[in-house]
Amino acid sequence: MEDDADIYDGIRAQFPLTFGKQQKSQTSLEAIHNATRRSTTAAAASNNNKSSEGLPSLSSSSSKAWLDSLRNSKPPNPNPNDSVIGPPRPPPGPVPDEDDDGVMVGPPPPPPASGDDDDDDVMIGPPRPPVGPSSDSESEEEEENRYRIPMSNEIILKGHTKIVSALAIDHSGSRVLSGSYDYTVRMFDFQGMNSRLQSFRQLEPFEGHQVRNLSWSPTSDRFLCVTGSAQAKIYDRDGLTLGEFVKGDMYIRDLKNTKGHISGLTCGEWHPKTKETILTSSEDGSLRIWDVNDFKSQKQVIKPKLARPGRIPVTACAWDREGKCIAGGIGDGSIQIWNLKPGWGSRPDIYIEKSHSDDITGLKFSSDGRILLSRSFDGSLKVWDLRQIKAPLKVFDDLPNHYAQTNIAFSPDEQLFLTGTSVEKESTTGGLLCFYDCSKFELVQRVGVSPTCSVVQCAWHPRLNQIFATAGDKSQGGTHVLYDPTLSERGALVCVARAPRKKSVDDFEALPVIHNPHALPLFRDQPSRKRQREKILKDPLKSHKPELPITGPGYGGRVGTTKGSLLTQYLLKQGGMIKETWMEEDPREAILKYADVAAKDPKFIAPAYAETQPESIFAKSDSEDEEK
């Protein structure tokens, strides 16, 4: 028995402590989505008629089937009779007798006629659908249901300390990039995030420069980061720097002769089809096309057409859907479009003069390349038909805009386009997302995103069917994700339903014990001087304060204005016993006054040489020589 117990313990040691325990029931989908449900009254009508049945928990096997049934069901409508397309189903026939065994072969018999047997009452073809009561409110709800805007629920990707000015979602919808005026870029991964919604990486592309635009490559393996500096950067999917484009010489007058931009960048976008080509615009008044394989030189320099020579900044740029056309918004209010063709130059193919009265902040092509949307600081959004550029098709006003990165976005089916608004000082509406119909050119809906923060960038992802909107102010910033559990897929649905992982016993890691942590001088702390200072303070001699000199007469045993510091020296000097006369005497006279005494009474060397030493003769001082 002891051997069996040992074998069991040995095998059990190979498995974690939580092995074999029953998993706790998780939070139901109903509670999860109710927690993220938007409280605004501007939600779509389709969200007001949700099924009241209990939603299964994530741990049950019917959760996926429940979501599929909701997505495959018909769109909710206040009047179910109005949503019937085609003839109604024929009413059930009479109950068959027991002799027929309950089996009905063929279509059911027609209903019995309620009128006369005349031929005039015979109805040929399916009956008309019943007409229900209609009202204006129901027609408005039907209109909203037609667009199916996913906006019933909302999550916020936080982390920035200032307004979020740049947004990019990769083509698969798994990773989101957000750039801010706090000089940082945050990377979010829906597949790896839990309900805490924390970013997995934070970058600072250029110290002290705002992030102005972000753009994924067509293959989503790299992304472009445009900041307020003159050099754009390329990062890989994990946030590692791949390269930085060269900066041009600011002292060269002609911009075509510089190797790169010489002033801060304003916008940038990756080519929609070619993964090696990007486009950037700058405050130096040029657009440049770059090859990501060569960071030292650009492929093409585009100088916009100007009314008079000078350097006017290019505030916005954009590719069309196929990458065969470039649009640029110029600081003088004009929109210029270039077609990429053999031998093309800086002369624009389409020139829209004075399209806006202020700087242009965003440009967007339609998929067919015929419609161009423009957004500006003047608080307007204009729709242009590139075949007739004399006047815009439609102008939408009352759209305040205070940020140079405010853009426009299309819905996946291009039935709608949307843009954000900024918060004004005296306004109480807050930041809004405005949806417009592409065919009727009319406002469809306004969605409140934040009561105090402005909405800058927006996007409607085609695969996720979720709407992204960046907002913020001087002290905070975040990315709002609007979705609908019945219409959206993956993205926010994945991370919201994933609870944070709880710490278990298996996560415990015993740290190694370091017995001599400061053995190496590199890791040794500086010795503390505290004990040494305390010891010195206790010593009466070392802690004695130096005495200041006395200017007057001395007292308390201290000598005042004397040349010596001892009392005996002071007394001798005052009594005349010590006289220092060497400073007033002539050195020659001081030596000669001992000449007679040395001659009469020699004591040291003179007696030894008395017989052989010649007589010393000293020259007498001549007053005339001294004067000379």
Side-chain angles (χ1 to χ4, degrees):
M1 295 297 292
E2 294 179 357
D3 296 340
D4 295 341
D6 294 340
I7 293 174
Y8 172 78
D9 293 339
I11 296 176
R12 185 67 185 84
Q14 303 299 323
F15 294 93
L17 297 176
T18 57
F19 181 77
K21 292 183 179 180
Q22 186 176 4
Q23 188 177 8
K24 296 182 180 180
S25 59
Q26 299 182 5
T27 311
S28 64
L29 282 176
E30 182 182 13
I32 290 172
H33 292 308
N34 284 338
T36 61
R37 192 177 301 277
R38 287 171 55 85
S39 60
T40 58
T41 58
S46 60
N47 304 318
N48 298 330
N49 300 306
K50 294 210 175 280
S51 175
S52 59
E53 299 176 359
L55 288 88
S57 63
L58 285 174
S59 58
S60 65
S61 60
S62 61
S63 60
K64 187 175 185 302
W66 170 80
L67 279 177
D68 294 340
S69 64
L70 282 179
R71 291 182 181 130
N72 297 331
S73 63
K74 62 182 179 180
N77 220 322
N79 190 357
N81 295 327
D82 293 344
S83 62
V84 177
I85 301 175
R89 296 181 181 178
V95 180
D97 299 333
E98 295 179 357
D99 299 339
D100 298 337
D101 298 334
V103 179
M104 182 174 64
V105 180
S114 60
D116 300 332
D117 295 337
D118 299 336
D119 294 338
D120 297 337
D121 296 333
V122 176
M123 183 174 59
I124 301 174
R128 294 179 181 178
V131 179
S134 61
S135 62
D136 295 338
S137 61
E138 292 178 357
S139 62
E140 291 177 0
E141 291 178 352
E142 293 174 18
E143 191 70 18
E144 291 178 355
N145 286 336
R146 186 167 69 89
Y147 299 111
R148 298 170 68 85
I149 301 175
M151 44 180 282
S152 64
N153 296 60
E154 178 184 17
I155 62 172
I156 304 176
L157 306 178
K158 299 181 180 180
H160 291 287
T161 58
K162 291 186 179 180
I163 189 166
V164 181
S165 57
L167 174 69
I169 308 106
D170 70 344
H171 303 284
S172 64
S174 61
R175 292 206 173 176
V176 179
L177 306 174
S178 65
S180 171
Y181 279 6
D182 62 3
Y183 319 133
T184 62
V185 174
R186 287 186 175 269
M187 304 180 67
F188 299 89
D189 188 1
F190 281 131
Q191 306 299 326
M193 266 196 309
N194 53 29
S195 57
R196 291 178 181 173
L197 305 177
Q198 294 178 346
S199 61
F200 73 93
R201 180 153 297 176
Q202 179 178 353
L203 312 172
E204 188 172 358
F206 213 104
E207 185 178 1
H209 288 277
Q210 300 171 349
V211 180
R212 296 185 174 176
N213 204 5
L214 296 166
S215 179
W216 283 100
S217 66
T219 54
S220 298
D221 59 339
R222 292 172 287 184
F223 66 89
L224 165 69
C225 179
V226 174
T227 62
S229 67
Q231 298 170 271
K233 283 189 175 183
I234 302 294
Y235 292 88
D236 68 355
R237 187 174 175 82
D238 296 325
L240 302 178
T241 307
L242 297 179
E244 182 182 34
F245 292 105
V246 69
K247 184 179 180 180
D249 189 353
M250 66 179 69
Y251 297 105
I252 297 178
R253 182 72 177 172
D254 190 359
L255 292 175
K256 287 196 172 183
N257 294 329
T258 60
K259 294 182 179 180
H261 289 292
I262 62 175
S263 296
L265 301 175
T266 57
C267 189
E269 192 172 336
W270 210 295
H271 194 283
K273 301 294 183 182
T274 309
K275 64 178 182 179
E276 290 88 10
T277 306
I278 66 168
L279 171 68
T280 57
S281 61
S282 172
E283 296 170 353
D284 61 9
S286 67
L287 296 96
R288 296 174 191 263
I289 300 176
W290 303 82
D291 188 349
V292 296
N293 297 322
D294 184 12
F295 293 100
K296 299 297 182 182
S297 62
Q298 69 265 349
K299 294 171 62 177
Q300 181 77 20
V301 182
I302 306 170
K303 293 172 62 178
K305 176 183 175 182
L306 301 175
R308 60 183 61 182
R311 289 183 180 177
I312 298 180
V314 182
T315 57
C317 63
W319 294 95
D320 68 342
R321 185 66 64 89
E322 299 298 326
K324 297 180 180 178
C325 189
I326 295 174
I330 317 303
D332 58 1
S334 65
I335 298 176
Q336 303 185 23
I337 300 174
W338 296 267
N339 294 323
L340 303 187
K341 54 189 177 182
W344 69 285
S346 293
R347 187 176 185 85
D349 295 282
I350 298 176
Y351 178 73
I352 306 175
E353 187 178 4
K354 297 180 181 179
S355 59
H356 288 275
S357 59
D358 209 334
D359 287 350
I360 299 168
T361 62
L363 296 170
K364 187 68 175 178
F365 282 97
S366 62
S367 59
D368 56 5
R370 296 178 180 179
I371 301 297
L372 178 67
L373 306 178
S374 62
R375 188 82 164 88
S376 174
F377 271 135
D378 58 10
S380 67
L381 188 155
K382 295 187 179 182
V383 184
W384 303 89
D385 188 346
L386 298 182
R387 296 166 293 182
Q388 299 175 355
I389 60 173
K390 293 184 179 179
L393 291 178
K394 183 68 176 177
V395 179
F396 300 99
D397 293 318
D398 298 329
L399 298 172
N401 179 13
H402 300 153
Y403 293 93
Q405 287 77 36
T406 305
N407 70 336
I408 321 114
F410 279 102
S411 63
D413 55 2
E414 292 198 358
Q415 288 187 4
L416 302 172
F417 58 87
L418 60 150
T419 187
T421 63
S422 300
V423 177
E424 294 184 305
K425 290 183 179 180
E426 300 178 355
S427 177
T428 58
T429 55
L432 302 175
L433 265 181
C434 300
F435 294 82
Y436 298 93
D437 193 317
C438 289
S439 58
K440 299 179 181 179
F441 297 124
E442 61 183 9
L443 178 66
V444 173
Q445 196 165 5
R446 293 183 181 222
V447 180
V449 176
S450 175
T452 58
C453 299
S454 303
V455 178
V456 180
Q457 293 259 314
C458 57
W460 193 332
H461 199 275
R463 291 195 180 183
L464 303 181
N465 196 21
Q466 298 173 13
I467 300 173
F468 296 78
T470 67
D473 53 16
K474 294 182 179 180
S475 60
Q476 61 179 336
T479 304
H480 297 248
V481 184
L482 308 181
Y483 69 97
D484 191 329
T486 62
L487 303 176
S488 305
E489 294 183 2
R490 303 195 311 272
L493 292 172
V494 176
C495 60
V496 167
R498 185 182 293 122
R501 181 174 176 269
K502 294 182 179 180
K503 291 185 178 181
S504 64
V505 182
D506 300 329
D507 296 333
F508 177 76
E509 182 181 356
L511 298 177
V513 180
I514 303 175
H515 297 284
N516 194 4
H518 305 300
L520 296 176
L522 178 65
F523 304 104
R524 192 177 302 159
D525 295 334
Q526 293 294 329
S528 176
R529 305 278 182 182
K530 184 177 180 181
R531 259 184 211 176
Q532 190 176 359
R533 288 196 299 268
E534 291 177 352
K535 188 176 180 181
I536 290 175
L537 288 174
K538 293 178 182 179
D539 190 349
L541 295 179
K542 292 184 178 180
S543 63
H544 180 67
K545 181 181 177 180
E547 296 176 349
L548 297 175
I550 300 177
T551 56
Y555 59 89
R558 294 188 60 194
V559 180
T561 54
T562 60
K563 294 182 180 179
S565 60
L566 298 178
L567 181 60
T568 54
Q569 292 181 355
Y570 172 74
L571 295 174
L572 289 173
K573 288 180 181 179
Q574 293 298 326
M577 299 180 67
I578 299 177
K579 293 183 179 180
E580 296 179 354
T581 59
W582 57 271
M583 296 189 68
E584 291 83 7
E585 288 182 350
D586 184 15
R588 184 170 179 274
E589 293 179 355
I591 295 173
L592 289 177
K593 70 181 179 179
Y594 299 104
D596 296 338
V597 178
K600 293 178 181 180
D601 186 14
K603 292 182 179 180
F604 302 105
I605 301 175
Y609 299 96
E611 296 179 358
T612 58
Q613 189 70 16
E615 184 180 357
S616 300
I617 301 173
F618 297 97
K620 298 180 180 179
S621 61
D622 191 357
S623 60
E624 295 180 358
D625 295 341
E626 290 179 359
E627 290 178 359
K628 292 179 181 179

